[in-house]
Amino acid sequence: MRAPFNPWEMACQQLDLVAGKIDLDPGIHAKLRSCKRALIVSLPVQMDDGSIQVFEGYRVQHNLDRGPAKGGIRYHPDVTLDEVKAMAMWMTWKCAVVNIPYGGAKGGVICDPSDMSLKEVENLTRRLTSEISIIIGPEKDIPAPDVNTNPQVMSWIMDTYSMGVGYSAPGVVTGKPVEMGGSLGRHTATGRGAMLVLHEAMKRFKMEPAETRIAIQGFGKVGSSLAQYLDELGCPIVAVTDISGGLFNQKGIDIPALLEHTRAAPGGLIAGFAGGDFVEDVETANRQLLGLEVEVLAPCALENQITTENAHQVKARMVVEGANGPTTPEADEILQSNGVFVLPDILANAGGVTVSYFEWVQDLQSLFWDEDSIDRELTRIMTRGFHDVMEIAEREQCSMRLAAYMLAVNRVANAVRWRGVFP
Ligand code: NAD
């Protein structure tokens, strides 16, 4: 029987691989192989029927050597401490790849928000904020949205934290609504960033948008905005899946119409959209999607999606990882030996944290940028990130993932060396 997937082991395996390649000092390697802080909180929440339900939540800070910690908060029934630790470590590398001055963090609560009322989610969020407020703050650790959390959840975090300190502290979270210190462009930034690095790769390999067929797994914040930007670029999006099933249309899905449909549909789901063949069973739909004859496969849902069981079936020329950790290290080797060009998560989905960084800077300065400035700066940072990584991959004759890790781990290790070990 196969051992259950453990994202933390996977994250350590990825670090070990790069440590050997860059001859990382064993002491620094050991430091980076552990998380600086992990807070486990118990959250009693008053439910609508008057009962009290107790949820478990986590906030983990992996590394603070390059700046305050930064990372999203996930609400999902499958959240584990090891998953949160892995995502915190990936955040450290992500911020370092695109060279923004943060360390990595992540948070999560084991819950199923689709089974909870808005008021219950608010109660849960406020209690979580209160419990983790001892380690978060604008100069300490700045949460953001992740799976099943959104601008409303960020607003409750900001409000609860502000009540505690006695003044408005917009810089404590990013991904807020624009009306209360959010940044223009944040909601779609991860998808836009993924489109920008993919577009650079397409130019590099002389791929014309009209001939670049795309399949996207996940149609949430990341998947839907990536679809929107690639559609605007002229790429046919031929398949999309979400938890309600999969939509397939070889001629290209009408993305603006699908976006309109999901905006109105309960839970924002793609089910019920008429513009293509619909497969109701999610597993079947995902299997079909992963094996499609397309140029680009974009996993934008959850981790552990491309595994040794299905990596051989991937026919796409490129994989752009909108999600965190969608490809296991073993599957990665299979993709590499089959010549699939992988734009790794720590580069491909760094657009979100980049615009979160802009939001935080704007909040601290109380000076807000227009959308053109955001787009211009995001384009500059993502394009630079792509070319920095590509240059290492070509020089070292290695995958984009290994190159991105080499760049990131070296940057963090240098900061550790400069700072030294306290005391
Ligand atoms: P989201 O909750 O907005 O969307 C998740 C989507 O995945 C939904 O459409 C859901 O239906 C779908 N999904 C879930 N399980 C699925 C399955 N088994 N098969 C197909 N689809 C499935 O979350 P999001 O913010 O878009 O995050 C998606 C991924 O991107 C996560 O790995 C997250 O960590 C990563 N990420 C998000 C951001 C961000 O800014 N939101 C930034 C970087 C990375």
Side-chain angles (χ1 to χ4, degrees):
M1 207 174 76
R2 228 160 41 96
F5 170 72
N6 183 318
W8 174 244
E9 283 170 15
M10 167 171 155
C12 289
Q13 212 178 325
Q14 290 167 326
L15 172 64
D16 296 345
L17 190 73
V18 73
K21 185 89 181 161
I22 62 174
D23 215 7
L24 186 64
D25 174 90
I28 296 179
H29 184 183
K31 176 176 160 129
L32 297 179
R33 219 174 182 283
S34 63
C35 290
K36 181 174 178 64
R37 268 184 207 119
L39 183 61
I40 303 176
V41 292
S42 153
L43 310 169
V45 173
Q46 176 106 52
M47 308 303 278
D48 291 346
D49 64 1
S51 66
I52 292 174
Q53 205 169 316
V54 182
F55 296 88
E56 185 160 292
Y58 311 100
R59 185 71 190 170
V60 175
Q61 296 169 354
H62 169 254
N63 184 273
L64 304 178
D65 282 294
R66 298 181 67 256
K70 187 90 191 78
I73 292 187
R74 176 176 294 195
Y75 288 172
H76 198 276
D78 298 337
V79 164
T80 64
L81 179 58
D82 274 356
E83 179 188 64
V84 178
K85 284 168 66 181
M87 292 192 295
M89 188 195 262
W90 291 329
M91 281 305 294
T92 302
W93 311 140
K94 195 179 298 182
C95 295
V97 166
V98 287
N99 214 4
I100 55 178
Y102 286 135
K106 204 79 184 191
V109 178
I110 307 170
C111 66
D112 185 353
S114 67
D115 262 0
M116 297 166 72
S117 70
L118 197 63
K119 186 64 193 156
E120 290 168 343
V121 175
E122 177 178 353
N123 291 350
L124 172 78
T125 303
R126 290 191 183 277
R127 185 62 191 237
L128 170 73
T129 309
S130 166
E131 297 291 344
I132 65 173
S133 64
I134 49 174
I135 60 168
I136 65 168
E139 58 299 294
K140 294 196 272 187
D141 179 356
I142 307 111
D146 190 75
V147 174
N148 291 329
T149 54
N150 54 29
Q152 175 62 81
V153 172
M154 297 305 114
S155 304
W156 290 325
I157 295 177
M158 184 271 196
D159 183 67
T160 309
Y161 181 87
S162 299
M163 290 297 125
V165 293
Y167 53 86
S168 282
V172 68
V173 276
T174 58
K176 300 178 294 297
V178 174
E179 292 83 351
M180 45 176 290
S183 178
L184 294 169
R186 172 60 186 94
H187 194 60
T188 53
T190 309
R192 184 167 175 80
M195 176 277 288
L196 288 166
V197 290
L198 176 60
H199 194 201
E200 287 305 303
M202 284 163 58
K203 287 192 257 178
R204 172 81 181 62
F205 295 108
K206 301 194 172 18
M207 292 162 70
E208 287 300 323
E211 284 147 28
T212 304
R213 293 164 298 175
I214 316 269
I216 302 179
Q217 184 193 43
F219 205 69
K221 293 182 284 295
V222 180
S224 67
S225 50
L226 177 62
Q228 183 192 332
Y229 288 119
L230 288 175
D231 180 63
E232 282 167 16
L233 197 64
C235 302
I237 319 291
V238 297
V240 166
T241 62
D242 74 2
I243 41 158
S244 68
L247 184 66
F248 298 84
N249 185 338
Q250 267 307 315
K251 292 196 186 111
I253 297 165
D254 181 345
I255 295 297
L258 179 60
L259 286 168
E260 213 175 298
H261 168 87
T262 54
R263 269 194 285 270
L269 299 173
I270 61 171
F273 181 70
D277 300 327
F278 197 76
V279 176
E280 265 182 40
D281 180 66
V282 186
E283 271 184 38
T284 312
N286 279 332
R287 208 175 314 120
Q288 209 168 312
L289 174 120
L290 289 173
L292 272 185
E293 289 274 1
V294 286
E295 281 62 47
V296 177
L297 175 65
C300 298
L302 295 167
E303 58 265 34
N304 195 31
Q305 297 302 305
I306 306 179
T307 66
T308 46
E309 273 158 33
N310 57 26
H312 282 295
Q313 283 141 30
V314 172
K315 298 193 187 74
R317 183 171 171 194
M318 286 188 195
V319 169
V320 56
E321 296 182 334
N324 286 313
T327 312
T328 65
E330 296 77 15
D332 210 23
E333 278 177 28
I334 298 172
L335 294 181
Q336 214 185 328
S337 61
N338 288 346
V340 182
F341 183 81
V342 179
L343 287 160
D345 47 7
I346 59 169
L347 170 67
N349 68 35
V353 73
T354 302
V355 176
S356 272
Y357 167 56
F358 300 161
E359 179 174 335
W360 178 72
V361 167
Q362 294 170 79
D363 287 336
L364 295 185
Q365 298 183 339
S366 295
L367 182 65
F368 290 87
W369 308 357
D370 59 23
E371 201 145 13
D372 282 352
S373 310
I374 306 271
D375 281 354
R376 194 175 51 246
E377 283 304 295
L378 178 63
T379 304
R380 184 179 67 77
I381 290 181
M382 295 307 294
T383 310
R384 182 186 65 193
F386 172 83
H387 290 286
D388 285 351
V389 173
M390 190 78 224
E391 195 187 305
I392 298 173
E394 283 179 334
R395 189 178 67 227
E396 301 291 328
Q397 291 291 297
C398 68
S399 68
M400 289 291 276
R401 189 184 315 276
L402 188 54
Y405 268 81
M406 287 169 72
L407 179 65
V409 176
N410 260 324
R411 279 185 177 149
V412 179
N414 283 340
V416 174
R417 261 182 232 112
W418 280 110
R419 289 182 63 152
V421 175
F422 180 84

